Every structure is written in C-alpha cells, then in structure tokens.
Amino acid sequence: MTEKRSKEIKIRLTEDEHAALLARCTSPKLAEWMRETCLDVRKPKARKIPLVDPQLLRALAGIGNNVNQIARHLHNDPVFTRTKLYELLITIERDMKEIREEFTGDDS
C-alpha cells in the first residue's frame, strides 16, 4: 500500500524558471517529474491491457451463447432432454478445440 502524501512544499518561481522546469519535465505532471528527479521515486507502471484478436472474442461470444441456451433450457423447459444437453456440450467442446488450435497451435 502506498503511503498517503500529507506534506506540501510551496515554492515561488519566476515565469522563466517555471517555463524552464516545464521544458525539462518528462512526465505529464510536474510534481511526479520532480519526485522522480529529486527523490529517485519511480511511479509504478500501469499494466497494459493485452490486445485480443476480434475473431477470438467472437468465437468466445458464440460459446457463451451456447452456455446461455443450456442454462435457459434447463430452467424453463421440463422436456429438455439429456440428449439435447449432450449435443450442446459437444458443440461447445468442439468449438473450444477449434479455438485452441487456431489461436495457439495446440491440437490436444
């Protein structure tokens, strides 16, 4: 956990001094840059969100739709058969295998 900053330092600058600091500043925020420069405090890097192939997202959405169909039938349809359930689960398993093969090269 990061300690809360409670101390404040106020300094007076001329327009030229302020402009010089801003020109040297390599951070979007002057206070962050001053901490990094004067105290050698590095701001933790934000985690990058991985890019996901749109085809993969569509394929996973399709599988999610199959799962939703199963849940809806199990809750609402008293005649929903085990055979139909197995068919849908086999479809999901096949889709998952195809996705794994396409996006990872893994055919296990």
Side-chain angles (χ1 to χ4, degrees), residues 27-93:
S27 174
K29 297 180 181 176
L30 185 58
E32 285 177 7
W33 174 77
M34 291 177 78
R35 272 188 223 99
E36 289 176 3
T37 304
C38 300
L39 300 174
D40 200 28
V41 173
R42 300 286 178 236
K43 180 179 162 190
K45 300 234 183 232
R47 289 182 23 196
K48 291 183 180 177
I49 298 172
L51 296 177
V52 178
D53 187 322
Q55 265 186 297
L56 175 60
L57 291 177
R58 280 191 294 279
L60 292 174
I63 291 170
N65 287 336
N66 286 340
V67 171
N68 286 338
Q69 286 176 12
I70 291 170
R72 187 171 40 256
H73 284 297
L74 288 173
H75 288 351
N76 298 329
D77 189 351
V79 186
F80 189 70
T81 65
R82 285 186 176 182
T83 305
K84 183 64 177 169
L85 175 61
Y86 290 138
E87 286 175 14
L88 289 171
L89 289 172
I90 289 168
T91 300
I92 290 171
E93 184 177 30

